[in-house]
Amino acid sequence: MPEREGNARERALGYELLAGIFLKEPTLEQFRTLQNWAAGLEDSSLKELLREIEEGDPELQELLQTYYDLFFVPVSGRFVPPFEAAIRGAQRQKGRKIRYGGFWGDSTLQVRQIYQQIGFEPEKMNSFQPLKEMNIPDHIGFELSALACLCQAEASWEEEQKDLDSLHSIQKILLEEHLNQWLDHLREDLAEADPTGFYTYFARLAAEFCREEVGFLTGSPLPENVSNENIHREEWKA
């Protein structure tokens, strides 16, 4: 699990690590970075997963093809759109293929408005070019990256002894009203489509991290199935 002990810069790094999994094609460099990170973890499941992928495909071709099939090729038979509106708008019936929602919805517009409020510009990020061209704000990697930016801002505000309430408020909105409303569904869908288990693992990790983040921000544990009812919204204060 990425660090989430309250240090804003460490929390930002956790979000950045998770976002990068979904924003970029898998490379040997990324793979080696993850292996080095996993070496320091008590959880052996990631170490074993990375070892299996490397032994089965030293050049990571299967993982690369899986990235394309899962996230960019609707006709692949494995397609799982990593977009909030598509996942939350999906029709799920036991024994039938999932029918995903549209790529643009109310949640997409809400996320885009939050980005505008905080000055986050996903199109300027170092991400997979076709993803930039799609220009859909509620991609999992963009939402996680926005939280990383907020945590970086939080670290600077702490040094300047500024009040953090507005920063924490917008973080909670992104978590409670957005990421925590759909990451578990994304993980479940990936579990049925991801032959490597790689993206399923990191979707689960992201879901756990985001739930714990709400607990950190509110000072209390959060149930797995959160509700977006009665969430108090505060205006963003620059």
Side-chain angles (χ1 to χ4, degrees), residues 81-198:
F83 302 99
E84 179 178 350
I87 295 296
R88 293 181 69 172
Q91 297 180 26
R92 295 179 172 83
Q93 294 183 346
K94 189 174 182 179
R96 295 189 178 184
K97 186 176 180 180
I98 299 171
R99 295 180 61 185
Y100 290 106
F103 284 2
W104 284 83
D106 290 342
S107 60
T108 319
L109 300 177
Q110 291 164 11
V111 167
R112 184 172 66 176
Q113 184 177 26
I114 290 171
Y115 294 170
Q116 291 170 346
Q117 289 175 321
I118 65 176
F120 175 65
E121 300 176 291
E123 67 276 7
K124 293 184 178 180
M125 293 189 63
N126 179 21
S127 58
F128 189 38
Q129 187 60 35
L131 185 56
K132 285 186 179 183
E133 293 170 359
M134 293 172 77
N135 196 27
I136 302 176
D138 62 352
H139 184 277
I140 178 176
F142 293 150
E143 292 192 11
L144 291 168
S145 294
L147 280 157
C149 289
L150 286 165
C151 287
Q152 292 287 8
E154 181 180 334
S156 297
W157 284 26
E158 283 179 327
E159 293 172 359
E160 298 170 10
Q161 298 184 334
K162 291 183 178 180
D163 190 305
L164 302 178
D165 285 351
S166 57
L167 282 173
H168 286 173
S169 176
I170 203 74
Q171 288 176 48
K172 284 188 285 186
I173 289 172
L174 273 170
L175 289 163
E176 292 179 312
E177 299 191 16
H178 296 283
L179 283 158
N180 286 346
Q181 297 292 330
W182 67 285
L183 285 187
D184 280 324
H185 287 305
L186 176 67
R187 173 189 55 79
E188 292 166 2
D189 294 348
L190 286 172
E192 298 296 322
D194 176 10
T196 66
F198 181 82

Side-chain angles (χ1 to χ4, degrees), residues 28-44:
L28 283 171
E29 181 181 4
Q30 179 197 60
F31 199 73
R32 297 293 179 240
T33 298
L34 290 173
Q35 286 180 317
N36 291 335
W37 174 65
L41 300 179
E42 294 182 5
D43 182 5
S44 62

